[in-house]
Short mmCIF file of all heavy atoms in Angstrom, two decimals:
data_model
loop_
_atom_site.label_atom_id
_atom_site.label_comp_id
_atom_site.label_asym_id
_atom_site.label_seq_id
_atom_site.Cartn_x
_atom_site.Cartn_y
_atom_site.Cartn_z
N MET A 1 0.81 -1.19 0.00
CA MET A 1 0.00 0.00 0.00
C MET A 1 0.87 1.27 0.00
O MET A 1 0.52 2.26 -0.61
CB MET A 1 -0.94 -0.03 1.20
CG MET A 1 -1.87 1.14 1.24
SD MET A 1 -2.92 1.17 -0.21
CE MET A 1 -4.30 2.04 0.38
N GLU A 2 1.98 1.22 0.72
CA GLU A 2 2.85 2.39 0.79
C GLU A 2 3.32 2.82 -0.60
O GLU A 2 3.35 4.01 -0.90
CB GLU A 2 4.04 2.12 1.71
CG GLU A 2 4.88 3.35 1.97
CD GLU A 2 5.96 3.11 2.99
OE1 GLU A 2 7.06 2.68 2.58
OE2 GLU A 2 5.71 3.39 4.18
N GLN A 3 3.66 1.84 -1.44
CA GLN A 3 4.10 2.18 -2.80
C GLN A 3 3.00 2.90 -3.57
O GLN A 3 3.27 3.83 -4.32
CB GLN A 3 4.53 0.92 -3.56
CG GLN A 3 5.85 0.36 -3.10
CD GLN A 3 6.20 -0.91 -3.85
OE1 GLN A 3 5.33 -1.63 -4.33
NE2 GLN A 3 7.50 -1.17 -3.96
N THR A 4 1.76 2.48 -3.37
CA THR A 4 0.62 3.11 -4.03
C THR A 4 0.47 4.55 -3.57
O THR A 4 0.21 5.46 -4.38
CB THR A 4 -0.67 2.33 -3.73
OG1 THR A 4 -0.51 0.98 -4.20
CG2 THR A 4 -1.88 2.95 -4.40
N ILE A 5 0.66 4.80 -2.29
CA ILE A 5 0.55 6.15 -1.74
C ILE A 5 1.63 7.05 -2.35
O ILE A 5 1.34 8.18 -2.77
CB ILE A 5 0.62 6.12 -0.20
CG1 ILE A 5 -0.64 5.45 0.35
CG2 ILE A 5 0.81 7.51 0.38
CD1 ILE A 5 -0.58 5.12 1.83
N PHE A 6 2.85 6.56 -2.42
CA PHE A 6 3.93 7.38 -2.98
C PHE A 6 3.74 7.58 -4.48
O PHE A 6 4.07 8.64 -5.02
CB PHE A 6 5.30 6.81 -2.64
CG PHE A 6 5.66 7.03 -1.20
CD1 PHE A 6 5.67 5.98 -0.31
CD2 PHE A 6 5.95 8.29 -0.73
CE1 PHE A 6 5.98 6.18 1.04
CE2 PHE A 6 6.26 8.52 0.60
CZ PHE A 6 6.27 7.45 1.48
N HIS A 7 3.19 6.58 -5.15
CA HIS A 7 2.90 6.74 -6.57
C HIS A 7 1.83 7.84 -6.76
O HIS A 7 1.92 8.66 -7.68
CB HIS A 7 2.43 5.42 -7.19
CG HIS A 7 2.05 5.54 -8.62
ND1 HIS A 7 2.98 5.69 -9.63
CD2 HIS A 7 0.84 5.57 -9.22
CE1 HIS A 7 2.36 5.81 -10.78
NE2 HIS A 7 1.06 5.73 -10.56
N HIS A 8 0.84 7.84 -5.89
CA HIS A 8 -0.21 8.86 -5.97
C HIS A 8 0.37 10.25 -5.72
O HIS A 8 0.01 11.21 -6.41
CB HIS A 8 -1.35 8.56 -4.98
CG HIS A 8 -2.52 9.45 -5.15
ND1 HIS A 8 -3.29 9.47 -6.30
CD2 HIS A 8 -3.06 10.38 -4.33
CE1 HIS A 8 -4.25 10.37 -6.16
NE2 HIS A 8 -4.13 10.94 -4.98
N MET A 9 1.27 10.36 -4.75
CA MET A 9 1.93 11.66 -4.51
C MET A 9 2.65 12.12 -5.77
O MET A 9 2.57 13.29 -6.15
CB MET A 9 2.94 11.57 -3.35
CG MET A 9 3.62 12.91 -3.10
SD MET A 9 5.32 12.89 -2.49
CE MET A 9 6.19 11.89 -3.64
N GLU A 10 3.34 11.20 -6.41
CA GLU A 10 4.07 11.51 -7.64
C GLU A 10 3.11 12.01 -8.71
O GLU A 10 3.39 13.00 -9.40
CB GLU A 10 4.81 10.25 -8.13
CG GLU A 10 5.60 10.43 -9.38
CD GLU A 10 6.99 10.97 -9.13
OE1 GLU A 10 7.59 10.66 -8.10
OE2 GLU A 10 7.46 11.73 -9.99
N THR A 11 1.95 11.38 -8.83
CA THR A 11 0.95 11.77 -9.82
C THR A 11 0.42 13.18 -9.54
O THR A 11 0.38 14.03 -10.43
CB THR A 11 -0.22 10.77 -9.83
OG1 THR A 11 0.29 9.48 -10.17
CG2 THR A 11 -1.30 11.17 -10.81
N VAL A 12 0.04 13.42 -8.29
CA VAL A 12 -0.50 14.72 -7.92
C VAL A 12 0.54 15.82 -8.13
O VAL A 12 0.26 16.86 -8.73
CB VAL A 12 -1.00 14.71 -6.45
CG1 VAL A 12 -1.38 16.10 -5.98
CG2 VAL A 12 -2.19 13.76 -6.31
N LEU A 110 4.81 6.19 7.62
CA LEU A 110 3.44 6.67 7.49
C LEU A 110 2.58 6.41 8.74
O LEU A 110 1.67 7.17 9.03
CB LEU A 110 2.76 6.07 6.25
CG LEU A 110 3.37 6.50 4.92
CD1 LEU A 110 2.65 5.82 3.77
CD2 LEU A 110 3.35 8.01 4.75
N PHE A 133 -0.16 13.40 5.52
CA PHE A 133 0.37 13.27 4.17
C PHE A 133 -0.76 12.98 3.17
O PHE A 133 -0.83 13.60 2.11
CB PHE A 133 1.42 12.16 4.14
CG PHE A 133 2.11 11.96 2.82
CD1 PHE A 133 2.69 13.02 2.14
CD2 PHE A 133 2.21 10.69 2.28
CE1 PHE A 133 3.34 12.83 0.94
CE2 PHE A 133 2.87 10.48 1.08
CZ PHE A 133 3.43 11.55 0.41
N LEU A 134 -1.65 12.07 3.52
CA LEU A 134 -2.76 11.76 2.61
C LEU A 134 -3.66 12.97 2.42
O LEU A 134 -4.14 13.23 1.32
CB LEU A 134 -3.56 10.57 3.13
CG LEU A 134 -2.85 9.22 3.01
CD1 LEU A 134 -3.62 8.13 3.74
CD2 LEU A 134 -2.65 8.85 1.55
N PHE A 137 -2.69 15.53 -0.38
CA PHE A 137 -3.07 15.31 -1.78
C PHE A 137 -4.37 16.06 -2.09
O PHE A 137 -4.51 16.69 -3.13
CB PHE A 137 -3.27 13.83 -2.09
CG PHE A 137 -2.11 12.94 -1.77
CD1 PHE A 137 -2.32 11.60 -1.52
CD2 PHE A 137 -0.81 13.40 -1.69
CE1 PHE A 137 -1.27 10.75 -1.22
CE2 PHE A 137 0.25 12.56 -1.39
CZ PHE A 137 0.01 11.23 -1.15
#
Side-chain angles (χ1 to χ4, degrees):
M1 183 61 154
E2 187 174 88
Q3 287 178 333
T4 301
I5 291 169
F6 287 108
H7 177 74
H8 188 64
M9 180 211 54
E10 180 85 33
T11 300
V12 172
L110 295 178
F133 183 52
L134 288 171
F137 305 155

